[in-house]
Every structure is written in C-alpha cells, then in structure tokens.
Amino acid sequence: MSVVVVGSVAYDDIETPRGRAKGLLGGSATHFCVAGSFFSRMELVAAVGEDFAPQDREFLAGRGIGLEGLQVLPGKTFRWGGRYHENMNVRDSLYTDLNVFADFRPVLSTRARRAEIVFLANIIPDLQIEVLDQLEPGRRLVACDTMSHWIEGHREAVERMVGRTDMLVINEEEAKLLAGEQGIVKAARRIQAMGPTRVLIKRGEYGIIYFSPDSVFAVPAYPLEEATDPTGAGDAFAGACMGYLAQTGDLSDAGMRRAMVYGTVVASFIVEDFGLNRLRALTRQDVEGRYREFVALTSFGRG
Amino acid sequence: MSVVVVGSVAYDDIETPRGRAKGLLGGSATHFCVAGSFFSRMELVAAVGEDFAPQDREFLAGRGIGLEGLQVLPGKTFRWGGRYHENMNVRDSLYTDLNVFADFRPVLSTRARRAEIVFLANIIPDLQIEVLDQLEPGRRLVACDTMSHWIEGHREAVERMVGRTDMLVINEEEAKLLAGEQGIVKAARRIQAMGPTRVLIKRGEYGIIYFSPDSVFAVPAYPLEEATDPTGAGDAFAGACMGYLAQTGDLSDAGMRRAMVYGTVVASFIVEDFGLNRLRALTRQDVEGRYREFVALTSFGRG
C-alpha cells in the first residue's frame, strides 16, 4: 500500500530552551513523510519555492518519498519561526511567511489519486476539500488534521471537510474546540457524529487516545530524559502510524493500535533533536528497539 | 498486611459543572482508607470534631477501617468548600476551615506503628515527620504526599520528610515544583536523589508515571463518559494502590504495577459521583470488571 499526504513543506527557524537552529527542513507534510518512510512508500503533495535546496530534495527522494506532486513555484519556500518556553508545551510563533504556499493548489497525480491511504495535513480546509474532490473512490483510509485557526475562522468548511473523511487526527485542545465539549469522551463522540468513525486525539507528552466504533485505546507518550525540539512530533506520529498501516495493510482495530504505538515511538525520536535531524540517522532497528522499550514501559499483569 | 494512613477527615461542600453537594464525608485520609478497604485492613489516624456524624463513623467501621487512631477533639470537623470550573482540572477553594484539624497531633497505636505499609497523606510536613518518628523500624513501605503550599512555604521540612520515605506520591505540577525541573524524567530523578527510591507522579486525567530504581511505568487514566466530582481521586488512587499492595504482599516492580492499575480503576469510579458516594455501593466485582476494561483499553501487539 502507499500513502499520499498533502500539506506543507517549510524551512523552520526554531528556538527552544535547549538551543536554536535556523533553516531546518520542516513542514507538516515533510515530517509526516519522513516518519512514514521507515515503513512504506510515501507520496508528497506540496509546494516549495525556487530556494528549495537540492540536498533537501535528494534527502526526501533518498527515503523513497514520491515527489511527483511537489510543485516548485516562483518565489520562496514557506518559512516559519517559533520559540518554545521552558515548559515546551507552550510556544510562540515568531513569524509565518507563507510565500509560495499562499498560491498552492494541490494537484494529485494518477498514482496519488489511487493511494490506499490519504492524509490531509493541517492546511486551509478549502484546499483539503479540493484534494478530497480529486480522490478516486475506494480509498482504504482518508484521514485529516486541522487546527484552532481554521476551526475558529472557517468552521463550516472544516466540518464539511472532516465529514468526508474516515478519521480525524487532532490535538486535544482542538478536538474540544471543534466539538464544543470539554470532556474528551463526549468530544470524540460528537466528532464521530460529524462523519469520521475514527477519532485519534494527540495529547503531546501525555500520549494519545483513540476512539473507533468498537473500542477506545489509550497509551502514554514515551518519556524522554530530555526534549530538544517538539516541532513536528504530531505530524511524525501520524506519518509513522499511516506508514505502518500501509506496510501491514491491516486496518483492523488491532492493526491500528500497533500502528499508533509505532507512531508514538517515531514521534519520541523526532523530539530528541532539532527538526528532522534525529530521523536522518535513525534505523528501523532503533525503532524496533524503542517499541520493545515501550512495551516494557506500559506492561502490567493482564491476567 | 495492613496499611496505616495519617491525614485529614473533612466535610466537603462541592460545586462542579454537574451540580453541588454539601457536607460530604471527605478528606485525604478518608478517601484513601475507603478506596483501600476494597483490598485490605486500613488504619485511620486523623482528627474529627464533636459534630462528626455517628453514621459516618459507622460507615468507616463497617468497611473494616480501624478507628483507634481517630481522635475526637472539642470543636468542629475540618470543612472545605471548593468549586470546579467547566474544565475540571481547575478548581477554586472557597474556604478551608481547619477547625479541630489545627490542633491535631497524630498519635499512632502500637498496631499502627507496626503496619507494614504507611502513607503520610498531604498535611503539614512537621506532622508527617512526627509520624515518621513514631514508626517502628522495618516497615515495608513508607510513602508520602505533599502539595505546593508546603513546598513553597516549608521546603526544608518537606525535603527532610520526603528524604525519610521510600516513595513520594505527588501531582505532576508539584513534582516539578519540588524538583525545580520542568521535564518529568529529570524531576523524578532529582526527587529520587532526595531519598525516596520510588516516585509516583499523578497526572489527573492523563494517568500516572512511576519511576523505580529499575524501570519506568506509565499508563493513562480510565476515560470517563462524564466526570461528576474529581475530589479525592488522587487519594483514592493511592489508597487502592496501597491496599492492593497490602493484600498481595508483593511489592516487586510487577506487583507495584498491578497495584497502580487497581488504583487507577478505583480512582475512576470515585469521579463518577460526589464525594465518596460512588464507592458506597461499589463491589470488588465492579472493580475487577473495570480492571479488565482497562486491560482492553491499553492492549496492543506486544510480540
């Protein structure tokens, strides 16, 4: 199976209590693809500017990521600057220069239209709907993300988009905002009533909670001795999760649970260094090792 | 094995978004004892006033809770009023009338001095130290709780007290405050360096994370359709955990993990109604049923 993701590719300037780094390869679709590429072929649909570095393109291609849908538009690549507080759950956006991303209109190749798994990363909901319109029928799993900015300013479009997908992957506060519910179970039930039968809620360092029609699943995050840069952890989580689903082809409840743990594991690595740096040297063996550590972390008498 | 707890018995007046209730039997030691009494004999060391209702005494005695150490002092029982916000992680104390609790000096009976498991619930650290001074040597597990108020105002006494125990059971924000560390792993390591080899951090609706010399354990909380009143959930968690440890006598890492899941399960029930009401009709069978549901909630491929 293959996975297509539509979202952003960016250069990030990041400051955290551990240090700072400039011009990091980032963006929601990038983090998603690179994390997923440990497991499956990923198709990237996004836009970059003429300044997009050849070595970044080579890095992505070298991971087997399909770049047919990566448009090069006149101008500069999307650039984001952010600063994290001592409590790294809190960050300030220093600037958001959309650049070529302002003119981006996603175009899916024939291959991308037929990908078994589709992920609409967090972009303006009207563009997510344009992607949905291009998909061939019969996709196995269509999932999406969104954020407070769109929920607050474009609620109607967000609900229409979410309603056409199988799964929403979203941060906890955003789930509560979308649902208009403070309780997490009720919020998930209300989102399920909007259309997606699966709701996967990301709780940062507290892990995830997932609602399917049949059951609820919850696991903590992998606790890190030191977090360096949380940027992209949520997208890497989703990417590894979908990549693993595509590798196994098992979209059952059990398969989905394993996929979410792989997502948790890969997300824990990305936080250990700036941008995508930690994933560059990471091996599938490292991932399997931490999966086993995660099993040990969460094991108790189940008799 | 038996468990002794030193802490508060109170009458609570509580408002939550689900409703309000007055004169509820409450207090840290009460929640702890009642939750633990599903598993083991609990010894309660606390003080009440002359207004303490006979039916409340009978309720506690009826659960096999030892009341030898429950002093009746001239005056009124400790009374606390609190109001929870729509987000029930946030609450305001409306009043704290210490009443007889202001004059409380814990006195342990011979039986209590020899209890295998001792829990110092959240009270002024000087009193916790007085309890430590009364214990006979050779207790299997001495655990304690504390809160921001004491850490901020009596840090030296808190550190001295914590340093004489085997385990600290504490809320996440308080752990970070005590350790002077924002990262949870580093905070736990720093607390371990103060003395207690075991650090059990309570994260409310996100569950718990536990650091022993050998390993780290983390599980989410049990997600509730509707939370009615979170008061006492942390104390009930600790009480059920210690009660289960006393029942099995297995203080190994594996035994401790199972105990923490039982704590998680009992704490999830207490939140479903005001005060201790939900525990009054609860059976051990109900607890076992939700333990199995918790296994299902957190299971994934561990092969």
Side-chain angles (χ1 to χ4, degrees), chain A residues 29 45 96 103 144 149 220 244:
Chain A
V45 177
T96 303
D103 305 314
C144 65
H149 179 72
Y244 181 82

PDB file of all heavy atoms in Angstrom, chain A residues 29 45 96 103 144 149 220 244:
ATOM      1  N   ALA A  29       3.815  18.166   6.088  1.00  0.00           N
ATOM      2  CA  ALA A  29       3.886  17.037   5.154  1.00  0.00           C
ATOM      3  C   ALA A  29       5.278  16.404   5.158  1.00  0.00           C
ATOM      4  O   ALA A  29       5.426  15.192   4.975  1.00  0.00           O
ATOM      5  CB  ALA A  29       3.520  17.490   3.746  1.00  0.00           C
ATOM      6  N   VAL A  45       2.562  15.685  -1.628  1.00  0.00           N
ATOM      7  CA  VAL A  45       1.910  16.717  -2.438  1.00  0.00           C
ATOM      8  C   VAL A  45       2.009  18.030  -1.667  1.00  0.00           C
ATOM      9  O   VAL A  45       1.416  18.176  -0.590  1.00  0.00           O
ATOM     10  CB  VAL A  45       0.439  16.350  -2.726  1.00  0.00           C
ATOM     11  CG1 VAL A  45      -0.242  17.467  -3.519  1.00  0.00           C
ATOM     12  CG2 VAL A  45       0.358  15.026  -3.478  1.00  0.00           C
ATOM     13  N   THR A  96       5.236  33.776  10.316  1.00  0.00           N
ATOM     14  CA  THR A  96       4.707  32.759   9.413  1.00  0.00           C
ATOM     15  C   THR A  96       4.691  33.400   8.034  1.00  0.00           C
ATOM     16  O   THR A  96       3.787  34.154   7.700  1.00  0.00           O
ATOM     17  CB  THR A  96       3.277  32.353   9.833  1.00  0.00           C
ATOM     18  OG1 THR A  96       3.312  31.899  11.185  1.00  0.00           O
ATOM     19  CG2 THR A  96       2.747  31.234   8.951  1.00  0.00           C
ATOM     20  N   ASP A 103      -0.030  30.458  -2.743  1.00  0.00           N
ATOM     21  CA  ASP A 103      -0.599  30.196  -4.073  1.00  0.00           C
ATOM     22  C   ASP A 103      -0.762  28.713  -4.363  1.00  0.00           C
ATOM     23  O   ASP A 103      -1.062  28.315  -5.492  1.00  0.00           O
ATOM     24  CB  ASP A 103       0.307  30.804  -5.159  1.00  0.00           C
ATOM     25  CG  ASP A 103       0.541  32.285  -4.901  1.00  0.00           C
ATOM     26  OD1 ASP A 103      -0.443  32.990  -4.616  1.00  0.00           O
ATOM     27  OD2 ASP A 103       1.711  32.720  -4.951  1.00  0.00           O
ATOM     28  N   CYS A 144      -7.504  13.163   8.242  1.00  0.00           N
ATOM     29  CA  CYS A 144      -7.201  14.593   8.157  1.00  0.00           C
ATOM     30  C   CYS A 144      -6.798  15.145   9.514  1.00  0.00           C
ATOM     31  O   CYS A 144      -7.031  14.535  10.549  1.00  0.00           O
ATOM     32  CB  CYS A 144      -8.408  15.364   7.641  1.00  0.00           C
ATOM     33  SG  CYS A 144      -9.825  15.330   8.761  1.00  0.00           S
ATOM     34  N   HIS A 149      -6.990  27.658  14.384  1.00  0.00           N
ATOM     35  CA  HIS A 149      -7.117  28.794  13.469  1.00  0.00           C
ATOM     36  C   HIS A 149      -8.232  28.571  12.451  1.00  0.00           C
ATOM     37  O   HIS A 149      -9.043  29.461  12.183  1.00  0.00           O
ATOM     38  CB  HIS A 149      -5.770  28.986  12.773  1.00  0.00           C
ATOM     39  CG  HIS A 149      -5.760  30.106  11.783  1.00  0.00           C
ATOM     40  ND1 HIS A 149      -5.783  31.422  12.159  1.00  0.00           N
ATOM     41  CD2 HIS A 149      -5.761  30.095  10.423  1.00  0.00           C
ATOM     42  CE1 HIS A 149      -5.776  32.194  11.075  1.00  0.00           C
ATOM     43  NE2 HIS A 149      -5.766  31.413  10.011  1.00  0.00           N
ATOM     44  N   PRO A 220       0.287   6.230  26.944  1.00  0.00           N
ATOM     45  CA  PRO A 220       1.061   7.439  27.233  1.00  0.00           C
ATOM     46  C   PRO A 220       2.099   7.667  26.128  1.00  0.00           C
ATOM     47  O   PRO A 220       2.276   6.808  25.268  1.00  0.00           O
ATOM     48  CB  PRO A 220       1.754   7.094  28.549  1.00  0.00           C
ATOM     49  CG  PRO A 220       1.919   5.608  28.506  1.00  0.00           C
ATOM     50  CD  PRO A 220       0.711   5.090  27.763  1.00  0.00           C
ATOM     51  N   TYR A 244       2.992   2.657   8.808  1.00  0.00           N
ATOM     52  CA  TYR A 244       2.931   1.283   9.323  1.00  0.00           C
ATOM     53  C   TYR A 244       1.653   0.590   8.855  1.00  0.00           C
ATOM     54  O   TYR A 244       1.678  -0.581   8.461  1.00  0.00           O
ATOM     55  CB  TYR A 244       3.021   1.290  10.854  1.00  0.00           C
ATOM     56  CG  TYR A 244       3.000  -0.101  11.434  1.00  0.00           C
ATOM     57  CD1 TYR A 244       4.164  -0.867  11.483  1.00  0.00           C
ATOM     58  CD2 TYR A 244       1.824  -0.672  11.900  1.00  0.00           C
ATOM     59  CE1 TYR A 244       4.148  -2.160  11.989  1.00  0.00           C
ATOM     60  CE2 TYR A 244       1.795  -1.957  12.403  1.00  0.00           C
ATOM     61  CZ  TYR A 244       2.955  -2.694  12.448  1.00  0.00           C
ATOM     62  OH  TYR A 244       2.941  -3.980  12.945  1.00  0.00           O
TER      63      TYR A 244
END
